[in-house]
Amino acid sequence: MVSRKWLILVGAVVIAHLLFLSLFFPYGYTIRTLLPTARDPVFDESRVFGIGQSAIKSGVARNALAVDVSELKIGLVVQNETKSDSMGDISLSEVKGHGGDTENGLASEEENLDDDTDELAVDRDVADDDDDGDDDVDVRLENVVDGNEVTQEKDSVLELPSEAKKELPSVQNVTSKNSESPLVLSRAVAPTTSANPLKEKVVFTTSRNYSAGVSNPVKKKIRAEMPPMSITTIDEMNRLLARNRRSSRAMRPRWSSKRDREILAARWQIENAPAVVNDRDLYAPLFRNVSQFKRSYELMERTLKVYIYKDGKKPIFHLPIMKGLYASEGWFMKLMQGSKQFVVKDPRKAHLFYMPFSSRMLEYTLYVRNSHNRTNLRQHLKEYAEKIAAKYPFWNRTGGADHFLVACHDWAPYETRHHMEHCIKALCNADVTVGFKLGRDVSLPETYVRSARNPLRDLGGKPPSQRDILAFYAGGMHGYLRPILVKQWKDKDPDMKIFGPMPAGVASKMNYIQHMKRSKYCICPKGYEVNSPRVVESIFYECVPVIISDNFIPPLFEVFNWNSFSIILPEKDIPNLKEILVSIPAKRYVELQLGVRKVQRHFLWHGKPLKYDLFHMTLHSIWYNRVYQIKPR
């Protein structure tokens, strides 16, 4: 009898406790908070977009998605809608992870709120009136780009334009039928002049679950705010590359394959390539070995077959970003998926296996703002790798050594560590001290695409004789190095046009571009991480890039001789920057600028890929590294 009374008493206390919690945690997770797995970082699709009461009551809206309803492929069902007088009320928070503590998954929130080119020219897409007429705050599901023409494709293409404001208004909800859990979005109707009501442009904002709020964490001094502990010079990188070419650490395949034998045969032909003299298509000084490159490229075109995994759901997988800072991974994904030359449907015929995820959409979808924790992002990719390893035999045959990924977000090295450690990683954040393996991984060019319809807009610059500015830089004070550069040179010398952030606006954007077109040397200092879009941007405007970023592996390093078209300086030389640039003979500058103009074609995206363009050069570096990493059975 006494025990029954105790049970009743305990039950009453538990019920009272649950009722009490429901008053303070009206987010739909009352009971879940009592479970031991309440903070389990494992991915749950119903939590990705803040489903249910969480999305409604949190009142927090994230990045705006401006969608052309007739082109939307994910089956949105409008529940409620609110009118909006202008698109200008919606803003986009382009969160870019910069140099967090990759060992424990921490990142400075202040770093995340701006990306590496927010400071450059500012409202980068406001002038895109020939593009889509929308503000830079829009994120659009677009048609596929084909030069200046637009062609219909089956796959959705997500444009994430440039960086903008940090807060969004909270509006009504929309759900999706096509996912196992409903996709919660917010909707505001923008004005349209289209006669077709289905062409109405709609702004969507995703909501997230912020019920597990973070209370003002103590700001730590992280790696991105300090100089590196060790420095690897460009000469040491060259020696590392040569050493890794001679002795691969890749896993020996568990069983032999015809495709392996084809790659081994290709390596023999590359190493015994006939000498190339005065090739009409290739400018020899750009390359480490133009003869081997040409032969390797020809064999890639003739031999290489790639299988693209169908596993993984949008928006993290199979949804390329065609615009903005992360466009490199999106353009490669889109062009790879559309390649009839390289892609095969039968994985048994493939030499390489592509895992088509977007590191930007991974962060956009799963990262909880102010959490300073990226564990769930890495866990999501870990589960994906485990899934394809369990479902297919190909991963286990090589330990993933014949698999590759292409990722431009700063967090990609952390997100792919361990579980994708043996894969070929094409990364924008190519830091030799943070897990990047020379000879296996590929330094992916970070390209800022302003117009998805016309990625070559504003291409080119003035000839050498008309470049009247010695050196130019403008940008935000990200990381520890840029403040040093600006403090040293801003307003100190008329030949050194070194500025901080330029004011927002179209005029400022064009001023930034014109400065690059008129400058002899464009300064490319690191930001929070070693990579910077200014390197490719300089080449785009035919300005000789001056790379100041210790431990940064220049893009496509295994192929190009960067000394033929760039200046690479250690960070400690910033006080002597003008002296170094002035000491370069005029003849040498003309050679460097010619190298920039010759290499430019290799750093351009095209709606329909061209020979030796950036799509083919990236794929070639992945192929080339696999050729030299493979081990015979």
Side-chain angles (χ1 to χ4, degrees), residues 609-632:
L610 302 180
K611 191 171 185 177
Y612 300 127
D613 71 354
L614 187 48
F615 168 70
H616 285 104
M617 294 300 292
T618 302
L619 184 61
H620 171 266
S621 283
I622 294 168
W623 148 265
Y624 191 63
N625 284 356
R626 177 57 181 159
V627 165
Y628 277 93
Q629 288 291 302
I630 193 170
K631 288 185 176 180

Side-chain angles (χ1 to χ4, degrees), residues 355-373:
M355 298 175 288
F357 72 90
S358 166
S359 59
R360 171 63 181 105
M361 290 309 299
L362 178 69
E363 175 273 325
Y364 175 87
T365 306
L366 297 184
Y367 179 68
V368 178
R369 192 174 181 181
N370 294 318
S371 69
H372 303 272
N373 192 323

Side-chain angles (χ1 to χ4, degrees), residues 15 306 326 333 344 358 441 454 476 528 577 633:
I15 293 172
V306 177
Y326 309 95
M333 184 190 298
V344 291
S358 166
D441 297 334
N454 182 15
Y528 289 117
L577 185 55
R633 178 65 184 168

Side-chain angles (χ1 to χ4, degrees), residues 150-163:
V150 181
T151 58
Q152 295 290 340
E153 291 283 340
K154 294 181 180 180
D155 296 330
S156 299
V157 179
L158 180 62
E159 284 189 21
L160 286 179
S162 63
E163 314 65 44

